[in-house]
Amino acid sequence: MLRNTNLKNICKKFAIARNSASFKENEAMRAIAHSMDLLLPGLYIWLLGFSIRIGGSIPDDIPYKYPGKIHSNTGIALVLPGYRIFTTYQGSYDPKQTSNTGANNF
C-alpha cells in the first residue's frame, strides 16, 4: 500500500500519464499544449500514450477551457526562460487542424 501511494505522489509531482486515449492522457496532453503555447519553461515529452511534463502549468479553465491540441503522437520540447523553445513539434495548437504541418487551409 505504501508503495502504491508513493507512486501516485510521484505521478502527481511530475505529471506522468500512461493510459491510451484516456481522460488523464488527454488532460496531460492539454497541459503540455498549454505550456508550450504560452512558452512556459519546462521539459515536455510525449510518446504514444505516455507523457511527461516537468515544469509548465495546468491550464486554468476560467473563464473558458483551453482548447489547444498537439497533433502528433510523439515529440519532445524544451522551453527555456527568455521564450526560447526547442521542439520536434512543428504544428499548430488549433483543435480543428487535422495535419501537423502548421499550414492553414482557407
Side-chain angles (χ1 to χ4, degrees):
M1 182 70 180
L2 182 60
R3 231 168 135 193
N4 192 18
T5 304
N6 288 338
L7 182 60
K8 285 180 182 178
N9 289 337
I10 290 170
C11 288
K12 285 180 184 177
K13 185 174 182 180
F14 291 109
I16 298 172
R18 251 193 101 184
N19 291 329
S20 179
S22 72
F23 178 75
K24 286 183 181 181
E25 177 190 348
N26 291 336
E27 288 300 306
M29 290 301 291
R30 193 169 71 97
I32 289 174
H34 174 263
S35 298
M36 287 175 53
D37 195 14
L38 294 179
L39 296 175
L40 299 174
L43 175 66
Y44 313 104
I45 301 169
W46 61 99
L47 175 66
L48 301 173
F50 179 79
S51 63
I52 298 175
R53 178 181 53 85
I54 301 174
S57 76
I58 297 171
D60 183 14
D61 292 336
I62 299 172
Y64 64 91
K65 186 172 181 172
Y66 177 74
K69 279 182 109 174
I70 294 179
H71 303 281
S72 172
N73 291 330
T74 61
I76 185 169
L78 175 65
V79 181
L80 299 174
Y83 305 111
R84 306 276 292 169
I85 184 168
F86 303 95
T87 182
T88 60
Y89 182 67
Q90 300 299 316
S92 169
Y93 303 108
D94 184 3
K96 296 177 183 173
Q97 184 177 351
T98 57
S99 67
N100 64 353
T101 61
N104 290 328
N105 297 326
F106 288 94

